[in-house]
Amino acid sequence: MSVQLSRGEAWDLLTEWVQSESLRRHCLAVEASMRAYARRGGEDEELWGVVGLLHDMDYERHPDLDTGHPRVALAELEGRDIDPVVVRAIASHADFLGVSRDSQLEKTLYAVDELSGFILACAYVRPEGIHGLTPKSVKKKLKQPSFAAAVNRDEVRAGAEELGVDFDEHVAFVIAALEDRADELGLHGRDADSAPASAG
Ligand SMILES: [Fe+2]
């Protein structure tokens, strides 16, 4: 029997490996999107959430994509005998490892990863935060290469295509998932207390 991590155990593991507030927030955002899609599809919300939380757990310690992330995370999780479904999903979000995305879980992780990060970036520059953010304005920002330049636009598009969802609906769905957790993610905008709630 492999090990099923609870949400609390996954969070403890993430915060042991990741000190950066912004990387923790990214992982929380991906978790929120994964849980929302799991709920919608009648899938295992806890499992999908754990995959979202842990998909970048080794990125702070091992950012080198040629030798590090996500290989170190995969080895760590395998060493702990974590559910292979979790390990394979995390492997499949890194294009360069060549692990195919077969399941809905794997396709969803890829589809929400870069997009969740991008939507956080959009919300942080708006006075209203995430409130009232539309797919139209997200798409406009996607067309500005200098905005959140680290986000791979091709991956954002390809992710939605692989998942087989309408792009606008997908963006609206992820916005709603993140807005649900606006307190924790610090997405209420500049009018509100702008300091994001402590993730720990
Ligand atoms: Fe990520």
Side-chain angles (χ1 to χ4, degrees):
M1 267 303 271
S2 59
V3 176
Q4 303 292 329
L5 288 178
S6 69
R7 200 272 172 188
E9 288 164 339
W11 175 252
D12 288 346
L13 187 57
L14 178 70
T15 52
E16 181 192 326
W17 280 60
V18 173
Q19 304 310 312
S20 150
E21 278 300 318
S22 70
L23 184 53
R24 285 184 185 184
R25 262 201 304 276
H26 168 71
C27 294
L28 285 168
V30 174
E31 180 205 20
S33 301
M34 292 298 287
R35 292 188 83 108
Y37 264 118
R39 257 192 320 273
R40 191 171 85 166
E43 301 279 358
D44 184 338
E45 191 176 328
E46 191 84 357
L47 176 79
W48 285 41
V50 164
V51 168
L53 269 182
L54 295 181
H55 79 286
D56 281 343
M57 65 173 271
D58 61 350
Y59 189 72
E60 182 178 286
R61 291 188 186 173
H62 304 279
D64 186 337
L65 301 184
D66 290 325
T67 58
H69 172 75
R71 300 169 190 83
V72 184
L74 300 176
E76 174 73 18
L77 296 172
E78 272 167 3
R80 290 170 181 244
D81 201 20
I82 303 301
D83 186 351
V85 170
V86 171
V87 178
R88 193 184 191 286
I90 293 176
S92 77
H93 97 282
D95 278 332
F96 49 87
L97 291 186
V99 175
S100 60
R101 286 179 285 277
D102 302 334
S103 65
Q104 283 299 104
L105 169 66
E106 290 161 1
K107 290 176 185 176
T108 305
L109 176 63
Y110 191 72
V112 303
D113 181 13
E114 293 287 276
L115 180 62
S116 299
F118 192 78
I119 290 173
L120 288 185
C122 292
Y124 288 139
V125 299
R126 299 174 76 244
E128 314 80 13
I130 198 157
H131 307 300
L133 180 63
T134 61
K136 191 178 167 197
S137 96
V138 171
K139 284 195 293 185
K140 205 170 143 192
K141 288 262 190 276
L142 281 169
K143 285 190 194 131
Q144 296 172 15
S146 60
F147 182 82
V151 171
N152 183 328
R153 270 65 170 169
D154 293 339
E155 219 169 273
V156 170
R157 288 276 173 194
E161 267 167 40
E162 279 185 32
L163 188 58
V165 288
D166 174 81
F167 191 71
D168 283 36
E169 277 173 29
H170 177 53
V171 173
F173 188 81
V174 172
I175 291 172
L178 301 184
E179 190 169 11
D180 264 358
R181 289 179 52 183
D183 282 345
E184 188 184 4
L185 296 170
L187 296 175
H188 287 303
R190 284 178 224 134
D191 300 339
D193 181 4
S194 59
S198 163

